[in-house]
Amino acid sequence: MSISKKDVEHVALLARLALTEEEKVLYTEELNAVLGFMDTLNQLDTSEIEPTTHVLDIKNVFRDDEVAPSMDPSQVVINAPAKKGNQFRVPKIM
Amino acid sequence: MTQYEAVIGLEVHVELKTKTKIFCSCSTEFGKAPNSHVCPVCLGLPGVLPVLNKKVVEFGIRTGLALHADINRRNKFDRKNYYYPDLSKNFQTSQFDQPICEHGALTIDLENGEKKVIGITRAHMEEDAGKLVHNGNTISVSSGSLVDYNRVGVPLLEIVSEPDMRSAEEAKAYVDELKKIIQYIDVSDCKMEEGSLRVDANVSVRPIGQIDFGTRTETKNMNSFKALQRAIDYEIARQIETIESGGTIVQETRTWDDERGMTLSMRSKEEAHDYRYFPEPDLAPIVISEEWIEEVRRQLPELPQSRRSRLVLEDGLSLYDATVITDTLAMADFYDRVRMGIDDAKSIANLLMGDLSKSLNELGSSVDESNIDPAHVIELIRLMYDGTISGKIAKQVIPEMLKTGDMPKKIVEEKGLVQMSDEGALEAIVLSVLQENPQSVEDYKNGKDKAVGFLVGQVMKATKGKANPGLVNKLLKEKLSLN
Ligand SMILES: [Zn+2]
């Protein structure tokens, strides 16, 4: 499996990264190197091994349905670069 | 001319009725001040650890069982990545390849009396997103939207159907039945207008006889059953027209504009959906034991479809009556309990659907919130049976009973509503009414049967509605034929 410059542009768009032409070329090379490493790992036979969904051998970590206090609304937006009252203000999307 | 058929699949989101959110202990209460039910987990701040609400899993199992689905003994959460500020984490925690339920089914009753089974592909747990208010037309504020994260993390169950429906009516019947089931098992309020039940419709059309599906569109933003039907009908017509005029259907998301009565393309600059799902490393896998499933199964009530069949087959009610009675679990249970005391299903159904529902509606109440028990209705029907009161008097007793919670017998005695069945006393009244209305007596003799109705009315008036109507009729006919 290899990555084209088009794939890099697609991933960059999804991640909202503005890449220069040089960076696109560089990252195409670097990502291909990473995938090459994956190919090496893929040589191992894992057909008998359950897929790992969690790094620890744990399951069923639950909470009871009991309400606890939330944050003060003014604290919620305290680090927001833009706000109005206790709401975040974000750039127009649509 | 080519005949087309529609192919419809629905994605239904229901908001679960838990007290707290899916991954944190913030309250799910609706309609509070912006960002007042928010914590670091809701905000996805660095270093937080979400912990799953056990009730959400229980509700998922309950729903799966009610929909005859397989419960995946092992399931997990995944991150669905997208950029939109309704979630500050840039991903929604959802379930991708291992949902809690798969392969279910639900049966709908069609208008022609037949039944149709609609497949359910899957149901998965996920978190709801926040609310964006796109505000103002003035330059100063039009540059942005305001974000309230109170709804973030409210637990949802997304229930995905197979593309088994062929008309807007079938789609409505499916949502109607699903809503009833969900309300019976008490996992959601399912209020479409308030957004606790949301439906997205996948619609395509194909020439009848063609096996392959046409290109489908996904329509969102239908806030009522009526909007759902109108949107689907519009989309079917639009697609057929597009194809007939040589165009092609674009796979896209569309939004229903209720005022204009049309669906509109929501074409966005974004490339095709690419959610890059991956397992959520902060949440442990869920392993559901047989014991847990059986425990949940034991708590399931008898479901609407089965109740309807029982009321039709065993109690002899019409499908219509059975459907009305079983519309809510509260009314269905109430009926069953009255039925234990009265061996006359039709009379019970008539009373519950008629005078009782009417009085409840006037009070804006329901049978489970009201002052009365099945014992009230049992006593009321018995009073009618033994002739103490007439159906007409029952109409007076019901609102009083709902208002005070008093037993019907007590109300009848205190208000002096006992039916007048003393033949001698009634005879005297009948005779005086005949004397006072010679014109009506004349009319009767000239073959105007309507005159009897007027005379009955006069006797009722004279007795303040308490006269036994059967007896009055009998006495009047006797006297009139003697005249
Ligand atoms: Zn929270």
Side-chain angles (χ1 to χ4, degrees), chain A residues 69-71, chain B residues 21 23-27 37-43 152-153:
Chain A
S70 300
M71 286 165 75
Chain B
K21 294 186 177 181
F23 301 125
C24 68
S25 304
C26 289
S27 166
H37 289 168
V38 170
C39 75
V41 173
C42 297
L43 292 170
V152 165

Side-chain angles (χ1 to χ4, degrees), chain A residues 62-65, chain B residues 14-24 28 51-64 75 77 95 100-101 124-127 153-158 187 286 288 292 296:
Chain A
F62 297 134
R63 264 184 29 246
D64 286 334
D65 187 26
Chain B
V14 292
E15 246 178 39
L16 300 178
K17 256 174 130 170
T18 53
K19 293 203 271 294
T20 66
K21 294 186 177 181
I22 182 168
F23 301 125
C24 68
T28 53
V51 185
L52 180 57
N53 184 342
K54 192 175 181 187
K55 202 85 192 169
V56 174
V57 184
E58 187 190 316
F59 283 179
I61 299 171
R62 206 188 287 175
T63 308
N75 61 99
F77 281 96
Q95 295 194 292
I100 186 164
C101 312
H124 66 257
M125 304 178 280
E126 62 185 22
E127 62 182 334
V154 170
L156 298 175
L157 208 57
E158 177 175 342
V187 304
I286 301 149
I288 299 170
W292 196 4
V296 175

Side-chain angles (χ1 to χ4, degrees), chain B residues 350-403:
Chain B
N350 285 345
L351 188 89
L352 297 189
M353 292 161 56
D355 293 327
L356 187 71
S357 290
K358 186 168 160 269
S359 294
L360 285 168
N361 285 342
E362 280 165 9
L363 293 169
S365 181
S366 61
V367 79
D368 52 328
E369 292 167 352
S370 77
N371 267 333
I372 61 160
D373 295 324
H376 285 80
V377 173
I378 291 173
E379 192 173 285
L380 185 70
I381 295 178
R382 286 191 179 146
L383 287 174
M384 287 195 274
Y385 276 169
D386 68 19
T388 309
I389 61 169
S390 61
K392 206 172 148 86
I393 293 174
K395 282 186 205 297
Q396 289 173 256
V397 176
I398 289 169
E400 194 61 26
M401 182 169 96
L402 289 171
K403 203 171 94 191

Side-chain angles (χ1 to χ4, degrees), chain B residues 1-8 166-168 203-208 214-217 231-250 254 263:
Chain B
M1 207 183 109
T2 318
Q3 292 289 311
Y4 291 88
E5 72 171 354
V7 175
I8 303 160
R166 295 290 174 268
S167 68
V203 178
S204 64
V205 298
R206 63 180 171 192
I208 287 181
T215 304
R216 66 162 198 261
T217 61
I232 291 174
D233 279 334
Y234 177 88
E235 200 44 32
I236 293 169
R238 184 191 70 87
Q239 291 187 13
I240 293 173
E241 208 180 295
T242 304
I243 294 167
E244 286 283 293
S245 58
T248 49
I249 305 300
V250 183
R254 300 178 68 87
T263 65

